[in-house]
Amino acid sequence: MMKSRFSTVAFIVTLVVAIVATKRGLFAPSNSDHNPITVIDFSELEILPVADAVGPESIAFDPNGYGPYAGVSDGRIIKWDQHERRWIDFAITSPNREGCRRTGNHEESEHICGRPLGLRFSDKTGDLYIADAYMGLLVVGPDGGLATTVATEAEGVPFGFTNGVDIDQRTGVLYFTDSSTRYSRRNYLAAIITGDRTGRLMKYDPGSKQVVVLLNNLTFPNGVALSQNGQSVLVMESTSCRVLRYWLQTAEAGNVEVLTQLPGFPDNIKRTSKGEFWVGVYSRKGKVLEWALSNPWLGETFVSLPLNTMKLASAIARLRAIGLAVKLSEEGDVLEVLEERSGSLKFVSEVEEKDGDLWFGSVVLPYVGVYKKNTFKELKGKKMN
């Protein structure tokens, strides 16, 4: 018994070391003339506070340019009213709203209230497509209200953790991810540390109303973004810290390749008007943690421990949370890195660039952050020492 307890304590200590190790910046300074790292001053960030909820994870603007819209922890889709300077309710993903409007985090009730993650508007119809972690792939019309179900399974396997979504505006076809069929969003850490490989990339054709699995056996597939020419789709594989490119057209159709390897855990990815991509990175990946993730039995052991150890690990993970955004070229080259080090902008889940402004979403913070165009231009002159 004593030996078993010692092994448990030793394992927890190892995981703690893995999570809190590496306090330096995610990207080392470049020795070349081009250093892509810009350190963000949080005081220059405009804050749009969210009332009674947290985690505006994904950000979207409607076809008329209004918004942004964001999904939050109590199952609501909220819309920023620029004139009134406040968030207003737009849609919900579950009809079960009892107990959902309490203040704060709603992790214990999100399977009832819904947890909207990826958001994407159809430019043609004005419909908003929603990847809800528990309710599946949903859609709501331009006037909002209760979202309706589009799909909850693929090839007979129910979605376990619907996450990212993008739309081909030319065809209306949707590309989306199911991060795990084994673990729900509340147990995302277990999916990562066990090396779970039940994630999928799928597409939904609104014409045939069919869901097709494009890729299986992915390790926590997260955000998705279609290339500007529509020939490929990029997928964030969070556990492996990889950006994958799945070819939809050309002679490479059906093939997948690693486009970029990131030294941190990527969340969502959004394409810019120029065809480049912003990636939100929510945590560092140190050497010790990299070793731990390469040995899935460690994660399986940890998951089998009492529940409070999982909560401890989750809390510790937040200690090393960072505010990081990486801009990639179409070919996966790192063009720009924005890093906020005070801890005020952390767990960056998404970066949406619109009219030169940068909008930051987060999975845990109670606000959306904005860098205005002029401020962002000034930031480019501030490189990391």
Side-chain angles (χ1 to χ4, degrees), residues 311-327:
K311 290 184 177 180
L312 172 64
S314 181
I316 293 171
R318 296 191 181 198
L319 294 177
R320 62 181 284 114
I322 54 173
L324 194 93
V326 180
K327 190 175 187 179

Side-chain angles (χ1 to χ4, degrees), residues 173-176 201-205 210-214 248:
V173 171
L174 299 168
Y175 298 90
F176 65 105
L201 169 67
M202 295 163 288
K203 77 171 184 177
Y204 171 78
D205 187 332
Q210 295 296 310
V211 177
V212 176
V213 177
L214 301 178
L248 301 169

Side-chain angles (χ1 to χ4, degrees), residues 13 31 39 44 65 102 105 120 143 178 187 197 201 269 280 287-288 290 322 334 355-356 373-374:
V13 170
N31 292 323
V39 177
E44 297 176 318
R102 58 186 176 81
N105 198 345
R120 197 65 170 167
D143 295 327
D178 185 19
N187 297 314
R197 299 188 64 87
L201 169 67
I269 179 171
K287 293 294 184 182
V288 180
E290 184 175 357
I322 54 173
V334 175
D355 300 328
K373 183 176 182 180
N374 292 337

Side-chain angles (χ1 to χ4, degrees), residues 136-159:
L137 185 63
L138 311 174
V139 66
V140 68
D143 295 327
L146 176 62
T148 58
T149 301
V150 173
T152 58
E153 66 173 30
E155 300 180 357
V157 180
F159 303 155

